[in-house]
Amino acid sequence: MRCQHHVITHEQAMPYQCQALGFKSARLPCKVVLESSGMPCLAYTPRAPRH
């Protein structure tokens, strides 16, 4: 959830979205990418800190 590409959707079945990779998931996108590729997500970009 610390990635700027991570978005919460309003869909109950697919509440998480990765805008960089263009998919929605029932599980956190970072976990899906790690399980699929065996590597951490290469599109990860930290969010800007909130003030």
Side-chain angles (χ1 to χ4, degrees):
M1 292 192 173
R2 294 183 183 135
C3 180
Q4 73 180 14
H5 305 294
H6 181 263
V7 178
I8 303 295
T9 70
H10 294 282
E11 298 177 33
Q12 281 187 318
M14 301 288 189
Y16 305 111
Q17 179 178 0
C18 175
Q19 292 179 327
L21 300 178
F23 72 92
K24 294 179 185 178
S25 175
R27 299 184 0 245
L28 290 173
C30 62
K31 303 262 185 197
V32 174
V33 171
L34 181 62
E35 290 175 6
S36 298
S37 68
M39 296 174 44
C41 183
L42 299 176
Y44 173 78
T45 307
R47 286 187 191 268
R50 295 182 189 182
H51 293 247

